[in-house]
Structure formats: structure tokens, C-alpha cells
Amino acid sequence: MVDKAHNTNGCSHSFLPIMTRWLFLFAFLVLFLTSHYFLETDLSKFTSSTILKTITIFNGKPEPPLHCSNESSSICNSNYPDKFEPNDRTSTSCPEYFRWIHEDLKPWEKTGITRDMVDRGQNVSHFRLVIVNGKAYIEKYKKSFQTRDVFTIWGILQLLRLYPGQVPDLELMFQCGDKTVVEKGLYYAGGPLANVSPPPIFHYCGNNDSFDIVFPDWTFWGWAELHISPWESTLQSIQEGNKRVKWKDRVPYAFWKGNPTVSLLRKNLCKCNVTDKKDWNARIYSVQWLDEREKNFQDTKLGDQCTYRYKIYAEGATWSVSEKYIIACDSMTMFIEPQYFDFFTRNMVPLQHYWPISTTNMCEDIKFAVDWGNSHQDKAQQIGKRGSDYIIDNLKMKYVYDYMLHLLKEYAKLQRFKPRIPERAKEMCPERMACSLRNGPRKRYMYESIVKSPSSTLPCSMPPPYEPQALQHLLHQKDNLIDKVRLRSLNDAAKKQ
């Protein structure tokens, strides 16, 4: 007799064959996916940890190229390519600001760089970087603020992964603080060190009174303490924020938000805030980072701060990493007479990429700039857009790495000694820096910003140095434009008195 329960739709006879076919297809799919994984994996390291990572891959989350396990968190991956073999042999031109590499290294152009020069910078440096045969070794001298040194070193390791074998052997000192440390006055004629060459020290910023060699700051790979993601994802968040509010629909005032206690300039900026008696067209907001941490930084998300037509950049103790975030907002950026520069801003032009504000008439200048912008909205919007385009076009991570590469290559050409690995130096690699970290922003930003494979393209082509006359013309042009704006602001203020 036929079991009526399995014959109601006439399909009971084909159930097992169908199930068998599905199992076969599933097994084939698993075999296909895992075969690639096993072919790319060192089976001697296939532990419970790597099994969990395989499950992660199946869940659609790509695994970062770190060989982490409980047994090998301190072992550097020896399987990563050690040769740079790009598919595309064509090279694009580097942005104009790469020319400043030649200027920053000019103090050692005639003398070269000796071991004595490098060693004399140890007392003001946070660490020594030695690169030999494409491997990085670090000797630390003192603790930096937060994780500045950690993410700077992480960024250098990513450069070595992007361009394996392309960074020459070298030895250098790195300073992770705010203040410049190699003051020109000490080494000029009449100075106490006039007969001594300055020590070449790498740093995040420079100014006209120092010999510090400018290098990209740590935040390009993330600022863990403030929950600011690596640059690529942060820029994407800012660009999405730009789309939410059209420029002409934004609040028609100048916006600044930050810690006002770190400099006199910022304390004076607070005096420009709106009161019951006076409105300078500025909206100034003080941030207390300990309070923001309690709120999980909900009120300081950079992608939510592009709602004003105008934004203000005010230096802190020296230059501020906030600069690139502010300029990228499409708002017309107001620079309050910066005294310091980072590696990418020296080619920005007043009235083309930003609006200059003086420190002596700060509040009056801000009010004039906002009044002018609201009366000339198309022009003000264009200044903001050109500033953002400058960042988007010239500050891709590829260019950040290319700048690092060209700077280190030019520096290595000046060395007059063979780099050696100090006894106390430790070899650094991504596995040693990231594998043992607990889950949190520090680990997350490292995994997010890791270079997964060598570049498929050549680095951009380094431009030649500035001709002295061309450089002077660029500097004079900027000064003349700043003076022009300042005069207009003063004349406007005089008319209203």
C-alpha cells in the first residue's frame, strides 16, 4: 500500500534524489571556496584561530592579510611579496606640493647627512627608524602623546607593503610632539651652533623658523583616542555629509568647534562668539574631550559638521590635524593666519582655496568675510568647492604614500653613512603591532588601513625643485593676496565706525 501522507502531491518519489543533488552542489561549493583558501595558507599555521577566520570569510567579511594566531602574534609574515612588480608601467605626475620635499631637505644639500648629525637629534626625538633590506626597526626613546608614534610607525609599515623593496636603507629620527624642535636661529651666523649642521628630524609640521622635515601625521591611519577613522573612510563620511545640506541651505555663519585651551589664538577666537551685545557672524563651540568620550563621541562626528557655509581653521599649540577635515567640507574655509604648515597645504592659494583672517583683527575679519560671502554667494561657494577639490584630488592615500616614498628616497640619497640596526631596536611588522591587540578602535583602524597587496601602479613622478625665482613669485603672490583681503577688511571696518 502507498502511504497517503507521502503521496499527496505525487513528489515523494523524488525527494531523496533532489536532496542528494543539493548536498552535492553544496559540497562542491565549499570545496571550491576552501581550495583557494588552503592554497594561499601556510598549513603549518592552521590553528583554531585560522579556522574561525575561515568562517569569517564565508560570512562575507574579507580577512585582512595578517597571519595572526595565539602562537604567531609576534612572528612577522615571511610570505608577503618582497618585490615591487606593477602591472601598469605608466606614471602620473605628482601634485605640486611634492616640490617642497626639495626645499625641506635643502639644509643638507651641500653637506650631506652624517651619522653624527642624526645622533645629535636623539635627545629631542621619540624614536629612531632604521630600514634595512625593506624591514623596519624601531628604537624608542620616550613615550609620545597618546598613540601618535604607534600609528606613525604603522603608516611606515604600510608604505613598505605598498612598495616592497623600494624604500632604500636609511636611518632617521622622528619627533611626535606639536612643537618644532630644530630652530633655524641656532644655526645661522651669530647663533650658538653656527658652525654645526642641524640634525635632520622628521616631524608632522614645520614653520619658517625651523628645519623640521615635514612628514604625514598619524591620523591618516586613524586617531584611536578620539574615534576618528583612517583618512579614506573619514573623507568619505565628510563627502556624504556635504551632500546632505546644499551650500546655500547651510547656516550662514562661520563655524568652529574644538579645544580652546591649547593656545592663546583659540582663546581669543572665543571672544568672537555671538553675545547679547555683539554678533561677529561666528558660532564657536568648545569641546571637552573627556565629556565627549562619555557620550561615545556622538557630538563630534566629522561627517556631521558640514552644515555651515563657512568654517574656521585655528591652530592649536602649533598646526592642527583638523585642517584637512575642515577644508574638505565644501564650506569656505577661513585660515586664521597660520604660523605652521603640514606637507600638503603650502600650495594652497588665498581667495582660490581659502579666505585669510588676521590675528590682530580676528573678529572684524570674520564678520567681513561672512558678510562678503553672503553678498557674493556664488563666489564664496566656489572658494569652498575649490578648497575641497584640492583635498580630494591631491590628498588621496596613494599620494600620501607616494610623498612618503619620495621624501625617504631623497633623504637616503643625502646619507653619508651605512645604516645599522641598534642593539635595542626591535623589528616591526603588522603582525607584531596588531595581532595581540584587544578589540577596539586601535585594532579596528589598523585592520581597516592595512595595505593588502603591493601597488599595481608606479608611484607618481617626482617634480623638479622650484627655481628660486618661481618660488619667490609663489610666496609673494600669496602675501599680496592676503594683504589685499586685509586692506579691504580694514577699510570696511573704518566705514562702519
Side-chain angles (χ1 to χ4, degrees), residues 398-415:
K398 175 70 162 55
Y399 285 144
V400 176
Y401 285 123
D402 286 1
Y403 190 93
M404 295 162 64
L405 178 67
H406 284 301
L407 174 57
L408 294 179
K409 278 188 168 185
E410 295 299 316
Y411 173 88
K413 290 177 184 177
L414 297 172
Q415 284 185 153

Side-chain angles (χ1 to χ4, degrees), residues 266-411:
R266 291 185 177 185
K267 290 176 182 177
N268 289 335
L269 175 60
C270 291
K271 298 176 183 178
C272 303
N273 211 356
V274 61
T275 67
D276 293 337
K277 298 181 180 179
K278 189 68 177 179
D279 188 351
W280 295 107
N281 290 340
R283 299 298 182 262
I284 312 300
Y285 298 90
S286 174
V287 171
Q288 301 298 323
W289 289 111
L290 290 177
D291 295 339
E292 295 303 325
R293 185 179 302 166
E294 293 295 321
K295 296 183 288 185
N296 199 30
F297 303 97
Q298 289 299 313
D299 296 335
T300 54
K301 293 181 178 179
L302 296 171
D304 295 338
Q305 296 184 28
C306 299
T307 57
Y308 284 74
R309 289 181 182 175
Y310 316 94
K311 293 196 71 174
I312 299 170
Y313 169 69
E315 291 183 332
T318 56
W319 129 105
S320 171
V321 300
S322 65
E323 190 172 29
K324 56 184 174 290
Y325 308 130
I326 291 171
I327 301 171
C329 249
D330 277 354
S331 306
M332 187 179 85
T333 303
M334 301 180 186
F335 279 14
I336 304 180
E337 208 167 341
Q339 301 300 305
Y340 297 85
F341 49 76
D342 53 27
F343 73 100
F344 65 88
T345 51
R346 284 176 278 186
N347 282 81
M348 297 187 72
V349 179
L351 301 185
Q352 181 177 338
H353 303 114
Y354 66 91
W355 186 282
I357 301 292
S358 73
T359 55
T360 52
N361 296 288
M362 189 188 308
C363 300
E364 292 85 353
D365 280 7
I366 291 172
K367 178 170 173 49
F368 172 76
V370 172
D371 286 341
W372 178 89
N374 288 337
S375 300
H376 304 81
Q377 292 187 25
D378 290 340
K379 292 181 179 180
Q381 185 177 359
Q382 287 172 6
I383 295 174
K385 186 66 167 60
R386 284 194 295 264
S388 290
D389 288 345
Y390 181 93
I391 295 297
I392 294 167
D393 295 340
N394 297 302
L395 209 55
K396 298 176 174 69
M397 276 307 298
K398 175 70 162 55
Y399 285 144
V400 176
Y401 285 123
D402 286 1
Y403 190 93
M404 295 162 64
L405 178 67
H406 284 301
L407 174 57
L408 294 179
K409 278 188 168 185
E410 295 299 316
Y411 173 88

Side-chain angles (χ1 to χ4, degrees), residues 221-275:
W221 299 275
W223 192 350
E225 290 80 8
L226 300 189
H227 286 212
I228 296 177
S229 298
W231 171 237
E232 285 185 326
S233 57
T234 297
L235 179 59
Q236 182 180 354
S237 174
I238 292 172
Q239 289 180 284
E240 291 171 355
N242 286 341
K243 297 174 184 177
R244 287 197 288 269
V245 184
K246 294 180 179 180
W247 192 91
K248 291 185 179 181
D249 294 333
R250 296 184 182 187
V251 181
Y253 297 106
F255 171 87
W256 182 84
K257 189 171 190 175
N259 181 0
T261 65
V262 296
S263 69
L264 179 61
L265 173 68
R266 291 185 177 185
K267 290 176 182 177
N268 289 335
L269 175 60
C270 291
K271 298 176 183 178
C272 303
N273 211 356
V274 61
T275 67

Side-chain angles (χ1 to χ4, degrees), residues 27-41:
F28 177 81
L29 179 61
V30 170
L31 181 62
F32 175 80
L33 291 172
T34 56
S35 62
H36 176 74
Y37 176 78
F38 279 109
L39 286 171
E40 297 296 323
T41 303

Side-chain angles (χ1 to χ4, degrees), residues 5 66 81 129 133 141 165 193 210 236 248 276 323 366 413 435:
L66 288 178
L129 166 69
N133 295 328
Y141 301 121
L193 300 173
S210 71
Q236 182 180 354
K248 291 185 179 181
D276 293 337
E323 190 172 29
I366 291 172
K413 290 177 184 177
C435 286

Side-chain angles (χ1 to χ4, degrees), residues 207-221:
N207 64 7
N208 294 331
D209 298 321
S210 71
F211 286 124
D212 296 38
I213 301 170
V214 186
F215 194 83
D217 70 80
W218 75 99
T219 61
F220 283 97
W221 299 275

